[in-house]
Amino acid sequence: ACTVKDKAHHIRKRFPDMHQSIALLLKQDPEFQSLCEDHDACVTALQYWIASKAPEAKARVTESRILIQELEEEIHQALTAAAPLQPE
């Protein structure tokens, strides 16, 4: 079974300088947890569709990339908002 931490590994790779904010938000913010889970699902789907030979694969790759970009923007906003809450 996957934990929420497992669902955030793509986010930690995408935002390597924000590990503290990621850890803080994963503990305290259910909405952020949900964003990480959605992002992880989209990355998994993207990997699937990239490897797929199905006729709709190209369109699904494009859709997945758009969703990932939108989620990353939301996640970045949440991380930026949380950054001032971190102790130095």
Side-chain angles (χ1 to χ4, degrees), residues 5-46:
K5 277 195 192 305
D6 294 331
K7 299 286 186 187
H9 75 277
H10 293 293
I11 296 304
R12 283 192 285 276
K13 283 171 58 176
R14 177 68 180 84
F15 300 105
D17 298 337
M18 301 183 120
H19 280 267
Q20 282 185 305
S21 294
I22 292 167
L24 180 72
L25 288 172
L26 283 173
K27 281 188 212 167
Q28 298 179 354
D29 188 344
E31 191 173 319
F32 184 79
Q33 293 170 11
S34 181
L35 286 172
C36 288
E37 290 170 9
D38 292 347
H39 182 270
D40 185 72
C42 286
V43 169
T44 301
L46 175 62

Side-chain angles (χ1 to χ4, degrees), residues 52-71:
S52 175
K53 302 284 187 237
E56 70 274 17
K58 188 174 181 181
R60 299 289 182 255
V61 166
T62 301
E63 289 171 9
S64 295
R65 286 189 170 135
I66 290 168
L67 284 170
I68 288 167
Q69 184 176 0
E70 290 171 355
L71 285 164

